[in-house]
Amino acid sequence: MLSAHEPFETYPALIREAAHEAGGVAQVAGGVPAMCDGVTQGQPGMELSLFSRDVIAMAAGIGLSHNMFDAAVYLGVCDKIVPGLAIAALTFGHLPAVFIPAGPMTTGLPNDEKAKVRQLFAEGKVGRDELLEAESKSYHGPGTCTFYGTANSNQMLMEIMGFHLPGA
């Protein structure tokens, strides 16, 4: 549903194929709920953003609770999903685990250009159509949010701790 998570759509099939080629079997143990602060700002339920980490941890834990797995691969992006999955991984610390991020987002319209159009709109020098066009162009592509916020710092922390491959 969210652009940040879009790359993961095909990952389960790719992981299954890679495991099969290596002589193993891969199964999807479960999925976790996700919300994006950029999408849910001002919407009902936004106050649940940080609480969702606990729900994510429990959902992943329930998926792993069947004692059927030799390892776990966690697909996560964002400052709610990654910490929630890390909590689940620590709960099931006896299972080797790796985290796979969605990769960095491609950028949209640069912030200084977007700010210029917003300023011109506030001054009445451009209309609503121009403003909406600039706002639409500013949206980014799939992957980890590009702004230097907690989504990026979570991804960097996972890499620093050795849970992501370098440069992920």
Side-chain angles (χ1 to χ4, degrees):
M1 182 182 114
L2 303 171
S3 63
H5 310 144
E6 188 274 333
F8 291 137
E9 183 175 354
T10 60
Y11 279 35
L14 295 171
I15 293 167
R16 279 191 200 97
E17 184 179 324
H20 180 72
E21 288 175 10
V25 176
Q27 296 179 352
V28 175
V32 297
M35 63 189 310
C36 173
D37 294 342
V39 175
T40 59
Q41 289 292 327
Q43 301 297 317
M46 179 56 204
E47 69 279 0
L48 300 174
S49 177
L50 294 178
F51 294 116
S52 71
R53 292 176 177 171
D54 295 324
V55 174
I56 291 162
M58 287 189 290
I62 290 168
L64 293 171
S65 67
H66 300 92
N67 199 25
M68 297 177 57
F69 304 102
D70 297 319
V73 175
Y74 296 94
L75 306 177
V77 65
C78 195
D79 56 344
K80 272 80 61 194
I81 298 168
V82 172
L85 293 178
I87 293 166
L90 291 168
T91 303
F92 289 84
H94 61 284
L95 294 176
V98 65
F99 287 76
I100 300 177
M105 273 187 182
T106 54
T107 59
L109 186 70
N111 286 337
D112 57 343
E113 291 181 40
K114 180 172 59 173
K116 182 180 178 184
V117 174
R118 286 177 175 175
Q119 181 64 38
L120 290 171
F121 178 77
E123 295 171 4
K125 295 179 180 176
V126 300
R128 184 171 171 78
D129 289 342
E130 291 87 355
L131 175 66
L132 291 176
E133 181 181 347
E135 293 294 333
S136 294
K137 286 182 178 178
S138 69
Y139 281 101
H140 306 292
T144 302
C145 298
T146 54
F147 74 94
Y148 292 112
T150 53
N152 261 322
S153 59
N154 271 269
Q155 298 294 341
M156 292 184 338
L157 182 61
M158 297 302 284
E159 184 175 324
I160 290 165
M161 293 189 309
F163 294 129
H164 283 173
L165 293 174

